[in-house]
Amino acid sequence: MRRICGEYKKLTSDHIPPKSCGNGKKVNVMINEEKFISQNGFNCKTICEKCNNELLGSNYDKEFKGLYDRIDSFKNSRIILADNILIDVDIKKF
Ligand SMILES: [Zn+2]
């Protein structure tokens, strides 16, 4: 099948959001009113291994991970946050 690269290849499991963003643990999933438990985060077979690892994993997932880490750093801080927080991201990678 083809998704991003346009080539017909075997699809691999892609974590959505990336596994590095806290999506590697047991999650409850509900799709079309059908519930199931995924032990390894939410993932779907949507793209080939090359797109998953080389394109998304080494480029776009890093942008998500950076945002995730910045937001996660606030979680355990004692800083009282403002109503709005400005975090720089490369919007083209979202
Ligand atoms: Zn591909």
Side-chain angles (χ1 to χ4, degrees):
M1 295 265 179
R2 64 181 180 164
R3 297 286 184 197
I4 298 174
C5 63
E7 298 177 25
Y8 287 88
K9 297 178 181 175
K10 182 180 176 184
L11 300 178
T12 58
S13 290
D14 178 34
H15 283 79
I16 306 168
K19 197 173 185 178
S20 62
C21 297
N23 186 25
K25 301 174 186 169
K26 178 180 166 183
V27 292
N28 295 312
V29 180
M30 185 168 163
I31 298 176
N32 295 332
E33 300 185 24
E34 187 173 324
K35 296 179 184 177
F36 65 95
I37 295 172
S38 174
Q39 297 292 340
N40 186 27
F42 179 71
N43 55 78
C44 298
K45 290 188 175 185
T46 54
I47 55 178
C48 75
E49 184 177 9
K50 183 178 178 182
C51 289
N52 192 3
N53 295 331
E54 294 180 23
L55 179 65
L56 297 183
S58 63
N59 293 305
Y60 301 102
D61 285 2
K62 287 182 179 178
E63 196 68 18
F64 276 104
K65 173 82 170 115
L67 177 62
Y68 175 83
D69 288 346
R70 279 175 267 170
I71 293 171
D72 195 52
S73 70
F74 296 133
K75 188 172 63 180
N76 296 322
S77 75
R78 295 181 179 185
I79 298 171
I80 298 171
L81 300 174
D83 289 338
N84 297 302
I85 301 169
L86 182 63
I87 300 175
D88 288 327
V89 295
D90 184 345
I91 196 69
K92 288 181 251 168
K93 292 185 176 179
F94 275 75

